[in-house]
Amino acid sequence: MPYSLKGRNVLITGGSRLLFLANPEILVGELICLKFAEEGCNVAINYNSSADRAEGVAKKVEHDHGMKAFTVQGKDCIRVVQESISKLGGLDVIISNAGHTRFSNFGDLNDTTIEDWDLCYAVNVKAHVFLMREALATFNSNQDGGAFIITSSIAGRIPGGSSMPYAVTKAAQLHLMRCLASTQGPKVRVNAVLPGFLGTEWGDRYGQERIMEMREKAYLKQDTDLDDAAQAFIDIARNMSMTGQRIQVDSGLGQND
């Protein structure tokens, strides 16, 4: 039967913003927080530098939905999980939503730095291992186990995107997701959501010509809807029979690989 989200404790990293969506008008991370609150979940909102926005999301969770919420700053995955468990009184779901990229010329190997590669690998791959490792004992002690859902990207499946380090580490991230799913069950479900092009301020950096090309390439001839992308995390969290899966919410853009 579907996994009931009512009363669950959820940690959302990058919950005040989605790091690969730099300052978008509507933030996927924020939408995910609010959708889980609507389902009756308590929410821990991890952020790096957007303190005001994170506090604003927490207030919406508490005032609009009557659920417990708190913010936790920093990149220390172990501390973030420990603090979430302590303040929420447990942990049932992790939305590993933070990511990193720096726009560069995809085909120019001199347009990326060693730091670009190292930081993308640290945030887009290694961070998920540390989060899972710290949460694993709690997930396994829960009667219904736990869910670990990664925000990935169609850039992990097709050779393109904001930068080559981003695309390569997103591909590694997807294989990590399958490795975790195959080894950390049966009480832990691990899946990934792969959004397509999102019409935000960040997306505008592609330029109008490239944006029009992506819209034309997408089967549905449109951008990925932000609310649809966020809703996918709710649907996956509820599903007790899904693990090791990559769910593309991309208007068909990434189906041409």
Side-chain angles (χ1 to χ4, degrees), residues 146-225:
F148 190 91
I149 307 173
I150 297 170
T151 302
S152 190
S153 169
I154 60 171
R157 298 197 62 199
I158 57 178
S162 58
S163 72
M164 191 177 291
Y166 179 75
V168 171
T169 55
K170 282 295 178 176
Q173 180 188 88
L174 289 173
H175 193 61
L176 171 65
M177 177 272 294
R178 295 185 65 193
C179 290
L180 292 174
S182 67
T183 60
Q184 303 308 308
K187 296 193 73 175
V188 181
R189 297 171 282 121
V190 188
N191 296 285
V193 177
L194 286 63
F197 174 72
L198 297 164
T200 64
E201 291 177 14
W202 179 89
D204 289 343
R205 297 180 64 183
Y206 277 109
Q208 199 57 38
E209 182 178 350
R210 176 62 177 144
I211 291 171
M212 294 304 294
E213 288 177 359
M214 288 189 284
R215 286 174 181 162
E216 181 60 30
K217 186 177 181 181
Y219 291 169
L220 299 181
K221 310 301 181 188
Q222 64 185 30
D223 300 347
T224 300
D225 182 79

Side-chain angles (χ1 to χ4, degrees), residues 22-71:
N23 301 317
E25 296 172 346
I26 302 176
L27 298 165
V28 172
E30 179 176 338
L31 283 174
I32 295 170
C33 289
L34 297 179
K35 281 186 173 291
F36 274 100
E38 289 173 4
E39 296 291 327
C41 297
N42 302 310
V43 182
I45 304 162
N46 166 242
Y47 70 97
N48 183 29
S49 59
S50 305
D52 290 344
R53 182 172 288 276
E55 290 294 341
V57 176
K59 288 178 180 178
K60 288 181 182 179
V61 170
E62 293 174 337
H63 296 163
D64 297 350
H65 305 289
M67 302 309 300
K68 183 190 300 183
F70 82 97
T71 63

Side-chain angles (χ1 to χ4, degrees), residues 63-108:
H63 296 163
D64 297 350
H65 305 289
M67 302 309 300
K68 183 190 300 183
F70 82 97
T71 63
V72 51
Q73 184 181 20
K75 303 175 183 178
D76 184 338
C77 297
I78 294 173
R79 182 183 63 82
V80 167
V81 172
Q82 289 176 344
E83 194 167 336
S84 299
I85 292 171
S86 174
K87 291 190 175 181
L88 294 179
L91 192 59
D92 302 286
V93 178
I94 292 180
I95 306 299
S96 197
N97 180 62
H100 176 78
T101 191
R102 183 183 69 82
F103 259 85
S104 60
N105 185 326
F106 195 89
D108 184 352

